Tab-separated table of all heavy atoms in Angstrom:
chain	number	residue	atom	x	y	z
A	1	SER	N	0.803	-1.227	0.000
A	1	SER	CA	0.000	0.000	0.000
A	1	SER	C	0.829	1.266	0.000
A	1	SER	O	0.325	2.333	-0.358
A	1	SER	CB	-0.937	0.017	1.220
A	1	SER	OG	-1.849	-1.055	1.169
A	2	SER	N	2.068	1.192	0.444
A	2	SER	CA	2.838	2.438	0.581
A	2	SER	C	4.314	2.177	0.375
A	2	SER	O	4.789	1.046	0.498
A	2	SER	CB	2.614	3.038	1.975
A	2	SER	OG	3.174	2.206	2.979
A	3	ASP	N	5.035	3.241	0.074
A	3	ASP	CA	6.488	3.192	0.105
A	3	ASP	C	6.928	3.349	1.551
A	3	ASP	O	6.240	3.981	2.362
A	3	ASP	CB	7.075	4.315	-0.750
A	3	ASP	CG	6.776	4.123	-2.229
A	3	ASP	OD1	6.699	2.957	-2.669
A	3	ASP	OD2	6.600	5.134	-2.938
A	4	PRO	N	8.080	2.800	1.914
A	4	PRO	CA	8.472	2.858	3.326
A	4	PRO	C	8.924	4.248	3.755
A	4	PRO	O	9.511	5.006	2.988
A	4	PRO	CB	9.635	1.863	3.394
A	4	PRO	CG	10.209	1.851	2.012
A	4	PRO	CD	9.052	2.042	1.095
A	5	THR	N	8.632	4.543	4.993
A	5	THR	CA	9.230	5.696	5.666
A	5	THR	C	10.452	5.186	6.412
A	5	THR	O	10.344	4.271	7.240
A	5	THR	CB	8.239	6.330	6.652
A	5	THR	OG1	7.078	6.753	5.937
A	5	THR	CG2	8.869	7.510	7.368
A	6	VAL	N	11.609	5.753	6.116
A	6	VAL	CA	12.866	5.244	6.674
A	6	VAL	C	13.344	6.182	7.772
A	6	VAL	O	13.462	7.395	7.568
A	6	VAL	CB	13.948	5.102	5.584
A	6	VAL	CG1	15.211	4.494	6.166
A	6	VAL	CG2	13.426	4.263	4.426
A	7	THR	N	13.608	5.614	8.942
A	7	THR	CA	14.075	6.380	10.090
A	7	THR	C	15.376	5.781	10.598
A	7	THR	O	15.481	4.558	10.745
A	7	THR	CB	13.037	6.354	11.224
A	7	THR	OG1	11.788	6.832	10.725
A	7	THR	CG2	13.479	7.215	12.402
A	8	SER	N	16.358	6.624	10.872
A	8	SER	CA	17.620	6.158	11.440
A	8	SER	C	17.436	5.918	12.929
A	8	SER	O	16.903	6.755	13.656
A	8	SER	CB	18.720	7.194	11.212
A	8	SER	OG	19.909	6.794	11.859
A	9	LEU	N	17.908	4.758	13.386
A	9	LEU	CA	17.847	4.411	14.807
A	9	LEU	C	19.242	4.306	15.413
A	9	LEU	O	19.387	3.913	16.579
A	9	LEU	CB	17.116	3.084	14.986
A	9	LEU	CG	15.697	2.985	14.413
A	9	LEU	CD1	15.138	1.579	14.620
A	9	LEU	CD2	14.790	4.023	15.050
A	10	GLY	N	20.261	4.613	14.629
A	10	GLY	CA	21.640	4.503	15.073
A	10	GLY	C	22.567	4.493	13.877
A	10	GLY	O	22.124	4.574	12.719
A	11	ALA	N	23.867	4.354	14.121
A	11	ALA	CA	24.840	4.409	13.033
A	11	ALA	C	24.629	3.276	12.030
A	11	ALA	O	24.846	3.452	10.825
A	11	ALA	CB	26.253	4.346	13.612
A	12	TYR	N	24.196	2.087	12.498
A	12	TYR	CA	23.991	0.921	11.633
A	12	TYR	C	22.553	0.420	11.670
A	12	TYR	O	22.257	-0.653	11.153
A	12	TYR	CB	24.916	-0.227	12.062
A	12	TYR	CG	26.386	0.055	11.865
A	12	TYR	CD1	27.137	0.621	12.889
A	12	TYR	CD2	27.013	-0.256	10.658
A	12	TYR	CE1	28.488	0.878	12.719
A	12	TYR	CE2	28.367	-0.011	10.480
A	12	TYR	CZ	29.100	0.572	11.514
A	12	TYR	OH	30.434	0.814	11.338
A	13	GLN	N	21.655	1.170	12.288
A	13	GLN	CA	20.298	0.698	12.522
A	13	GLN	C	19.274	1.602	11.839
A	13	GLN	O	19.442	2.837	11.816
A	13	GLN	CB	20.002	0.624	14.025
A	13	GLN	CG	20.843	-0.390	14.776
A	13	GLN	CD	22.253	0.102	15.087
A	13	GLN	OE1	22.460	1.286	15.393
A	13	GLN	NE2	23.233	-0.792	14.987
A	14	GLN	N	18.227	0.984	11.302
A	14	GLN	CA	17.164	1.726	10.622
A	14	GLN	C	15.815	1.067	10.884
A	14	GLN	O	15.746	-0.122	11.214
A	14	GLN	CB	17.382	1.743	9.100
A	14	GLN	CG	18.516	2.609	8.602
A	14	GLN	CD	18.617	2.586	7.083
A	14	GLN	OE1	18.229	1.610	6.444
A	14	GLN	NE2	19.111	3.664	6.499
A	15	ALA	N	14.760	1.870	10.695
A	15	ALA	CA	13.397	1.342	10.686
A	15	ALA	C	12.760	1.699	9.357
A	15	ALA	O	12.817	2.862	8.928
A	15	ALA	CB	12.587	1.912	11.840
A	16	HIS	N	12.164	0.706	8.697
A	16	HIS	CA	11.368	0.916	7.490
A	16	HIS	C	9.915	0.653	7.872
A	16	HIS	O	9.580	-0.464	8.289
A	16	HIS	CB	11.788	-0.042	6.372
A	16	HIS	CG	13.119	0.279	5.767
A	16	HIS	ND1	14.305	0.130	6.441
A	16	HIS	CD2	13.440	0.752	4.527
A	16	HIS	CE1	15.316	0.483	5.650
A	16	HIS	NE2	14.809	0.866	4.485
A	17	VAL	N	9.090	1.669	7.730
A	17	VAL	CA	7.708	1.580	8.203
A	17	VAL	C	6.756	1.728	7.020
A	17	VAL	O	6.912	2.641	6.192
A	17	VAL	CB	7.409	2.650	9.270
A	17	VAL	CG1	5.992	2.476	9.808
A	17	VAL	CG2	8.426	2.566	10.408
A	18	PHE	N	5.757	0.835	6.968
A	18	PHE	CA	4.751	0.831	5.901
A	18	PHE	C	3.369	1.013	6.533
A	18	PHE	O	3.085	0.470	7.609
A	18	PHE	CB	4.769	-0.504	5.142
A	18	PHE	CG	6.068	-0.808	4.446
A	18	PHE	CD1	7.148	-1.342	5.158
A	18	PHE	CD2	6.213	-0.590	3.090
A	18	PHE	CE1	8.341	-1.632	4.520
A	18	PHE	CE2	7.404	-0.887	2.436
A	18	PHE	CZ	8.469	-1.409	3.156
A	19	TYR	N	2.499	1.761	5.832
A	19	TYR	CA	1.131	1.971	6.302
A	19	TYR	C	0.146	1.563	5.214
A	19	TYR	O	0.342	1.868	4.037
A	19	TYR	CB	0.897	3.446	6.658
A	19	TYR	CG	1.761	3.942	7.791
A	19	TYR	CD1	2.976	4.589	7.527
A	19	TYR	CD2	1.371	3.766	9.112
A	19	TYR	CE1	3.776	5.048	8.566
A	19	TYR	CE2	2.174	4.226	10.163
A	19	TYR	CZ	3.367	4.858	9.881
A	19	TYR	OH	4.153	5.303	10.903
A	20	SER	N	-0.926	0.888	5.624
A	20	SER	CA	-1.993	0.576	4.681
A	20	SER	C	-3.001	1.712	4.652
A	20	SER	O	-2.996	2.592	5.520
A	20	SER	CB	-2.704	-0.721	5.089
A	20	SER	OG	-3.489	-0.502	6.246
A	21	ARG	N	-3.884	1.685	3.665
A	21	ARG	CA	-4.907	2.725	3.565
A	21	ARG	C	-5.868	2.665	4.743
A	21	ARG	O	-6.496	3.668	5.100
A	21	ARG	CB	-5.669	2.570	2.245
A	21	ARG	CG	-4.838	2.861	1.001
A	21	ARG	CD	-5.696	2.875	-0.255
A	21	ARG	NE	-4.899	3.134	-1.443
A	21	ARG	CZ	-4.326	2.193	-2.173
A	21	ARG	NH1	-4.471	0.920	-1.827
A	21	ARG	NH2	-3.618	2.510	-3.237
A	22	GLN	N	-5.994	1.506	5.341
A	22	GLN	CA	-6.882	1.352	6.489
A	22	GLN	C	-6.216	1.772	7.795
A	22	GLN	O	-6.825	1.694	8.856
A	22	GLN	CB	-7.350	-0.100	6.606
A	22	GLN	CG	-8.350	-0.530	5.533
A	22	GLN	CD	-7.708	-0.708	4.174
A	22	GLN	OE1	-6.535	-1.059	4.082
A	22	GLN	NE2	-8.466	-0.450	3.123
A	23	GLY	N	-4.934	2.182	7.700
A	23	GLY	CA	-4.248	2.673	8.885
A	23	GLY	C	-3.390	1.658	9.601
A	23	GLY	O	-2.738	1.988	10.598
A	24	SER	N	-3.363	0.408	9.115
A	24	SER	CA	-2.505	-0.585	9.754
A	24	SER	C	-1.049	-0.281	9.441
A	24	SER	O	-0.722	0.397	8.456
A	24	SER	CB	-2.867	-1.990	9.296
A	24	SER	OG	-2.667	-2.128	7.895
A	25	CYS	N	-0.171	-0.807	10.272
A	25	CYS	CA	1.251	-0.446	10.202
A	25	CYS	C	2.095	-1.704	10.268
A	25	CYS	O	1.768	-2.658	10.980
A	25	CYS	CB	1.567	0.480	11.383
A	25	CYS	SG	3.312	0.827	11.656
A	26	ALA	N	3.186	-1.747	9.513
A	26	ALA	CA	4.172	-2.827	9.580
A	26	ALA	C	5.558	-2.211	9.555
A	26	ALA	O	5.781	-1.199	8.873
A	26	ALA	CB	3.996	-3.806	8.425
A	27	ALA	N	6.489	-2.804	10.283
A	27	ALA	CA	7.833	-2.238	10.365
A	27	ALA	C	8.892	-3.324	10.248
A	27	ALA	O	8.698	-4.456	10.709
A	27	ALA	CB	8.001	-1.474	11.679
A	28	PHE	N	10.005	-2.931	9.626
A	28	PHE	CA	11.207	-3.758	9.551
A	28	PHE	C	12.313	-2.962	10.245
A	28	PHE	O	12.663	-1.857	9.803
A	28	PHE	CB	11.591	-4.028	8.099
A	28	PHE	CG	10.691	-4.988	7.368
A	28	PHE	CD1	9.335	-4.732	7.206
A	28	PHE	CD2	11.204	-6.155	6.830
A	28	PHE	CE1	8.505	-5.611	6.528
A	28	PHE	CE2	10.385	-7.051	6.149
A	28	PHE	CZ	9.046	-6.782	5.997
A	29	ILE	N	12.849	-3.516	11.334
A	29	ILE	CA	13.903	-2.837	12.085
A	29	ILE	C	15.203	-3.593	11.856
A	29	ILE	O	15.291	-4.792	12.134
A	29	ILE	CB	13.578	-2.788	13.586
A	29	ILE	CG1	12.198	-2.181	13.830
A	29	ILE	CG2	14.625	-1.977	14.332
A	29	ILE	CD1	11.782	-2.206	15.291
A	30	SER	N	16.204	-2.891	11.363
A	30	SER	CA	17.427	-3.561	10.908
A	30	SER	C	18.657	-3.105	11.667
A	30	SER	O	18.752	-1.950	12.112
A	30	SER	CB	17.629	-3.303	9.409
A	30	SER	OG	17.619	-1.917	9.140
A	31	ASN	N	19.587	-4.049	11.793
A	31	ASN	CA	20.914	-3.770	12.332
A	31	ASN	C	21.935	-4.326	11.347
A	31	ASN	O	22.087	-5.540	11.220
A	31	ASN	CB	21.088	-4.421	13.705
A	31	ASN	CG	22.496	-4.244	14.258
A	31	ASN	OD1	23.243	-3.362	13.818
A	31	ASN	ND2	22.874	-5.078	15.215
A	32	TYR	N	22.653	-3.436	10.652
A	32	TYR	CA	23.594	-3.861	9.618
A	32	TYR	C	24.992	-4.157	10.148
A	32	TYR	O	25.855	-4.594	9.387
A	32	TYR	CB	23.697	-2.782	8.530
A	32	TYR	CG	22.401	-2.495	7.819
A	32	TYR	CD1	21.997	-1.189	7.545
A	32	TYR	CD2	21.560	-3.529	7.427
A	32	TYR	CE1	20.800	-0.923	6.890
A	32	TYR	CE2	20.363	-3.275	6.771
A	32	TYR	CZ	19.988	-1.977	6.506
A	32	TYR	OH	18.803	-1.723	5.866
A	33	HIS	N	25.225	-3.910	11.441
A	33	HIS	CA	26.570	-4.145	11.966
A	33	HIS	C	26.895	-5.633	11.908
A	33	HIS	O	26.068	-6.480	12.240
A	33	HIS	CB	26.687	-3.637	13.402
A	33	HIS	CG	28.096	-3.379	13.817
A	33	HIS	ND1	28.989	-4.392	14.125
A	33	HIS	CD2	28.789	-2.213	13.952
A	33	HIS	CE1	30.165	-3.876	14.439
A	33	HIS	NE2	30.077	-2.550	14.336
A	34	VAL	N	28.114	-5.944	11.483
A	34	VAL	CA	28.497	-7.334	11.265
A	34	VAL	C	28.774	-8.062	12.575
A	34	VAL	O	28.543	-9.271	12.679
A	34	VAL	CB	29.737	-7.401	10.338
A	34	VAL	CG1	30.254	-8.820	10.206
A	34	VAL	CG2	29.400	-6.837	8.970
A	35	LYS	N	29.228	-7.335	13.609
A	35	LYS	CA	29.668	-8.009	14.833
A	35	LYS	C	28.847	-7.658	16.072
A	35	LYS	O	28.726	-8.487	16.982
A	35	LYS	CB	31.143	-7.681	15.102
A	35	LYS	CG	32.090	-8.215	14.039
A	35	LYS	CD	33.543	-7.891	14.373
A	35	LYS	CE	34.493	-8.456	13.313
A	35	LYS	NZ	35.906	-8.116	13.608
A	36	SER	N	28.307	-6.458	16.127
A	36	SER	CA	27.713	-5.986	17.375
A	36	SER	C	26.192	-6.016	17.354
A	36	SER	O	25.567	-5.564	16.390
A	36	SER	CB	28.168	-4.543	17.666
A	36	SER	OG	29.563	-4.487	17.779
A	37	ALA	N	25.610	-6.532	18.447
A	37	ALA	CA	24.174	-6.419	18.639
A	37	ALA	C	23.833	-4.976	18.998
A	37	ALA	O	24.708	-4.171	19.360
A	37	ALA	CB	23.721	-7.370	19.743
A	38	ALA	N	22.557	-4.645	18.891
A	38	ALA	CA	22.135	-3.267	19.175
A	38	ALA	C	20.814	-3.287	19.939
A	38	ALA	O	19.971	-4.171	19.739
A	38	ALA	CB	21.991	-2.479	17.879
A	39	ARG	N	20.643	-2.298	20.802
A	39	ARG	CA	19.374	-2.071	21.493
A	39	ARG	C	18.853	-0.719	21.020
A	39	ARG	O	19.521	0.303	21.204
A	39	ARG	CB	19.574	-2.087	23.001
A	39	ARG	CG	18.279	-1.922	23.809
A	39	ARG	CD	18.573	-2.132	25.286
A	39	ARG	NE	17.418	-1.838	26.129
A	39	ARG	CZ	16.427	-2.687	26.392
A	39	ARG	NH1	16.451	-3.910	25.853
A	39	ARG	NH2	15.423	-2.343	27.183
A	40	VAL	N	17.706	-0.725	20.380
A	40	VAL	CA	17.201	0.499	19.759
A	40	VAL	C	15.834	0.850	20.337
A	40	VAL	O	15.115	-0.002	20.881
A	40	VAL	CB	17.082	0.351	18.224
A	40	VAL	CG1	18.434	0.061	17.600
A	40	VAL	CG2	16.078	-0.725	17.848
A	41	MET	N	15.496	2.133	20.198
A	41	MET	CA	14.184	2.633	20.598
A	41	MET	C	13.353	2.877	19.348
A	41	MET	O	13.773	3.571	18.427
A	41	MET	CB	14.337	3.936	21.378
A	41	MET	CG	13.020	4.593	21.761
A	41	MET	SD	12.198	3.753	23.123
A	41	MET	CE	13.155	4.389	24.507
A	42	PHE	N	12.154	2.266	19.303
A	42	PHE	CA	11.233	2.459	18.181
A	42	PHE	C	9.812	2.496	18.728
A	42	PHE	O	9.412	1.595	19.485
A	42	PHE	CB	11.386	1.330	17.156
A	42	PHE	CG	10.378	1.359	16.037
A	42	PHE	CD1	10.457	2.323	15.039
A	42	PHE	CD2	9.333	0.440	16.005
A	42	PHE	CE1	9.524	2.355	14.020
A	42	PHE	CE2	8.399	0.458	14.982
A	42	PHE	CZ	8.493	1.425	13.991
């Protein structure tokens, strides 16, 4: 239904958020760092 809204959550972290016309929401939260885990706020 939509193109993603991309938000930075850190140096290697992002959120891609999609919304439907009915208002529902889906998100993909990513950590691209090869070695380190991350704790993010979303």
Side-chain angles (χ1 to χ4, degrees):
S1 297
S2 67
D3 293 328
T5 300
V6 184
T7 304
S8 175
L9 304 177
Y12 294 91
Q13 295 79 37
Q14 288 182 333
H16 288 69
V17 184
F18 298 81
Y19 297 95
S20 72
R21 292 188 181 90
Q22 288 73 30
S24 62
C25 170
F28 288 60
I29 306 176
S30 54
N31 176 19
Y32 299 136
H33 201 285
V34 174
K35 295 181 179 178
S36 300
R39 183 173 173 84
V40 299
M41 176 75 78
F42 174 72

